[in-house]
Amino acid sequence: MGSGEAVDASVQERFERICTNSTSAVARWIAGEGLEVTKDAARETSKIFGELAAHRAASLNEVTRRCFWWRNVMAEVLREIAAEMDVSAVVLAQALNMVQLSLELSLLRMCERFETERRRTDEELSRREEELAFLATHDPLTGLPNRTLILDRVEQMLARSARNQSPVAALFVDLDNFKSINDTLGHGVGDELLCAVAERLRGVVRHVDALGRLGGDEFVVIAEELSMDAGPELVAERLLDALRHPFKLGPDGNTRLTVTASIGIAAGQRTSAEELLRDADIAMYQAKWDGKSRYAVFETAMQDTVQRRLELDMDLREALRKEEFFLAYQPTFALSDMTPIGVEALIRWNHEARGVVQPDAFIPLLEETGLITEVGRWVLHEACRQGAAWHREGYPIDMAVNVSGRQLDSDELVADIEDALAESGLDAGALTIEITESTLMRNVEETARRLLAIKQLGVRIAIDDFGTGYSSLAHLQQFPVDALKIDRSFISGMRHNKEGETLIHTLVQLGKALAIDTVAEGIEEQQELSLLRQEDCDSGQGFLFARPLDVAATEEFLRRWAENDARIEAPSRQGA
């Protein structure tokens, strides 16, 4: 008999196992054992045959054909044995009948098994199809409707709104600083946070509203049947309130996170769901630019703002490659004798069409996009290179470089500082890394570890804008800090009331108690300088002395100070 359909090696092996087991069972039955031996073989045979057919490893036709092939081979063997042993025709007929009965029993059980397997397979297929249908319209992480389903529901809501003249609104919810959480605590904690946020939001939206996740840390609430007074704003406030309580994450709930969100609201009729969500997205960006942890309602003028912002973003991404960034340097003076002791490197952007762009206009966007890490690395290398060049020219001044929160979130910062010092040849003690007080407190343990590694390189560390953040004295002692830069707001406050002067006195004394230098920022008037010198503040910078200067102007400034020092020292040496 021909081999029939081609089957793979594993299926062929199972066919051979069935033939062996069935032959052995029938032989034992013919030899006088009970019918149960064939029933057991038939059960195993039917199970394997049924699974093969149901799972389409072999067709039902091929399985049946193999059964008959086995019967025919068995019959031929029995006839040959009967002839050799001179067995009577009656006994042979009984043996052949046993083979036939075994075949029929196997076929019957095989059909039953095949039907059972087929139903199970169909049910599994149906379940998989339902899962795929769910996954096609739902977010696999949170189980919320995804963009596809949300767009469909918005279209339905817009249609109802048009028919019934009822209001509808989309609220675009985006978590603030979520990338930093992912980068600092890992994607596992990030995913857990997203699920927890989804549950919080689900708990405050009404049953008539639709909540979905569009991707990443972006959620959307579609609300209808709102009051025309302040409906969507009230929904936004509820959503913001829901996120204000800390989340307990991690296996033991030991990781506590407080997150905020920016919400954009677009209300009223639109031509499509995409247009409604687009306007809500634009409003959300406005909420972020306004300071985060708030909501903003879409206005037509916002489109122009977003367009300009996108253009600025694209230009920024090209600025480093086009070498459009440059550094300005603002001198710092020792207030005891008013000699320049260092400079602070400040980034500027000279765009071919925009001209010189000030930091306030582009640094926040660098932070948002993550470009600050690459640009910050460039600033570090360029400042160290320039500082080393001035040292070689005989101006042994210190160089201060600002470091962003995003840079401090990664161990790469330590390597970047080490590389910048090695490539430039600048002495580590001549470099000061400045970190804002609020950045310092974002992740106290990790920040302390990285700052200690930086300190071990020999680099100085200063806290910028000190007094404007939320660190305590206990926290301050955890960090290897060399200097506190007192914010300009406190300096200007000295002139207006006694409390301001007392506060400066307290901050300077705090520095002395901790053996930390104090640096006054933004000194603009002679009266401010006099008061700071009376309080024994160590150093300062501000427009009273010099504005930020380009490289050539800084060199001229240093040269003039060096010449003045030489003229002052010459008479004293003659007098000696």
Side-chain angles (χ1 to χ4, degrees), residues 144 196-206 211 238-239 242:
L144 293 176
V197 167
E199 283 303 309
R200 288 269 185 96
L201 299 182
R202 190 184 279 118
V204 297
V205 298
R206 302 173 306 169
L211 169 66
R238 286 208 310 267
L239 296 173

Side-chain angles (χ1 to χ4, degrees), residues 394-544:
Y395 307 120
I397 57 170
D398 292 342
M399 178 67 68
V401 178
N402 294 282
V403 168
S404 75
R406 289 222 179 193
Q407 288 175 278
L408 195 58
D409 284 341
S410 171
D411 288 336
E412 290 181 7
L413 175 62
V414 182
D416 289 341
I417 293 172
E418 197 168 12
D419 291 344
L421 291 171
E423 290 179 12
S424 64
L426 181 67
D427 181 69
L431 177 63
T432 298
I433 296 299
E434 296 189 1
I435 300 151
T436 62
E437 186 180 5
S438 55
T439 295
L440 199 69
M441 301 305 300
R442 278 168 48 165
N443 188 333
V444 173
E445 291 183 3
E446 285 297 299
T447 298
R449 180 178 64 80
R450 292 189 181 104
L451 291 183
L452 182 60
I454 292 170
K455 184 69 177 171
Q456 288 171 345
L457 297 176
V459 175
R460 287 169 52 83
I461 296 169
I463 300 180
D464 201 6
D465 301 330
F466 184 73
T468 61
Y470 46 89
S471 63
S472 66
L473 180 59
H475 279 133
L476 192 61
Q477 292 176 310
Q478 295 182 48
F479 305 109
V481 176
D482 298 289
L484 301 178
K485 298 192 72 174
I486 303 171
D487 188 69
R488 160 69 191 161
S489 59
F490 297 112
I491 306 303
S492 60
M494 289 190 306
R495 295 180 287 108
H496 304 297
N497 52 62
K498 193 68 177 176
E499 289 79 6
E501 190 174 337
T502 302
L503 183 57
I504 291 296
H505 175 80
T506 302
L507 291 175
V508 171
Q509 292 307 308
L510 171 64
K512 293 190 180 305
L514 297 175
I516 296 175
D517 291 342
T518 48
V519 185
E521 293 186 285
I523 303 172
E524 296 183 0
E525 298 186 10
Q526 186 63 44
Q527 182 185 357
E528 294 170 353
L529 174 61
S530 298
L531 289 171
L532 287 166
R533 296 186 72 178
Q534 288 174 20
E535 294 296 343
D536 202 19
C537 183
D538 294 304
S539 57
Q541 60 183 170
F543 291 170
L544 180 64

